[in-house]
Amino acid sequence: MNTLKLSFATVILAAWMPMASAAPLLDQEFDAFAAGSSGGATLIPRQILYQTFTVGLGGTLASVELQAQQDFDTPTDDLVVSILATSGGTPDPATVLGSVSVPPGAVPPADFSNVPFFSVDLSGLGIAVTPGEQLAIRLSQASADSRYFWYEAEDFVEEEEGTPPPSGFYAGGASFVGSDLASIPFVNTRVDVGFRTFVEPVVIPEPTSAGLLSMLFLGAYARRRREA
């Protein structure tokens, strides 16, 4: 009977302390257009584009925003947005954490004078992220006939080998060009592309009034047990 009372109180406590949810927060950002973009990398047949980033907030990856647009010839097939793990600072194509197909109509048309971010919802993928973890955003095309731009910052002249990019570049990752052919290695383009990541943070729920009453009930019950 005592065990039954304790279990009943525990059920009440759990029922009145639901997990809290928080609005997604902006985590990582690089605005290529503000950094002087005049164009971008193009998804051509067999080519794949990547941008790595370093997670700053723990939680669930909710969405990414991209400074990407349709090619001047309107694409007819989906843009495929994927999140990958990384290995040694480069994207790991063998570890795809999730993918979302974006219809062409959801991608802004080509306009070099106006490059807004557009959002891609990733909340349904349930990708858990931890601070300091490095991941990669990958853009690929559903077919060889559909092309998209991903806007990048202006290139820079390397004065000597190993010269870092000027201030204003994204410090937590890098942009890469790859291929669906395993024999072709990744190439670091040394110019970041425009992106934002949003994370739904982990929130410890606060007890509700009913939850507090349940806790007081448990405390009173424990004291009665000791006095008995």
Side-chain angles (χ1 to χ4, degrees), residues 90 101 179 198:
T90 61
S101 292
S179 171
F198 290 81

Short mmCIF file of all heavy atoms in Angstrom, two decimals, residues 90 101 179 198:
data_model
loop_
_atom_site.label_atom_id
_atom_site.label_comp_id
_atom_site.label_asym_id
_atom_site.label_seq_id
_atom_site.Cartn_x
_atom_site.Cartn_y
_atom_site.Cartn_z
N THR A 90 36.94 18.38 -42.35
CA THR A 90 36.28 18.34 -43.65
C THR A 90 34.97 17.55 -43.54
O THR A 90 34.81 16.71 -42.65
CB THR A 90 37.16 17.70 -44.73
OG1 THR A 90 37.45 16.33 -44.36
CG2 THR A 90 38.47 18.46 -44.88
N SER A 101 14.48 17.96 -48.78
CA SER A 101 14.36 18.41 -50.16
C SER A 101 13.54 19.68 -50.22
O SER A 101 12.42 19.74 -49.68
CB SER A 101 13.71 17.32 -51.02
OG SER A 101 14.57 16.19 -51.14
N SER A 179 32.48 16.39 -54.94
CA SER A 179 31.84 15.73 -56.07
C SER A 179 31.17 14.45 -55.59
O SER A 179 31.51 13.92 -54.52
CB SER A 179 32.88 15.40 -57.15
OG SER A 179 32.33 14.57 -58.15
N PHE A 198 20.05 27.71 -36.53
CA PHE A 198 19.18 27.98 -35.39
C PHE A 198 19.04 26.70 -34.57
O PHE A 198 18.82 25.61 -35.13
CB PHE A 198 17.82 28.46 -35.86
CG PHE A 198 17.83 29.84 -36.46
CD1 PHE A 198 18.23 30.03 -37.77
CD2 PHE A 198 17.48 30.94 -35.70
CE1 PHE A 198 18.26 31.30 -38.33
CE2 PHE A 198 17.50 32.23 -36.25
CZ PHE A 198 17.90 32.40 -37.57
#
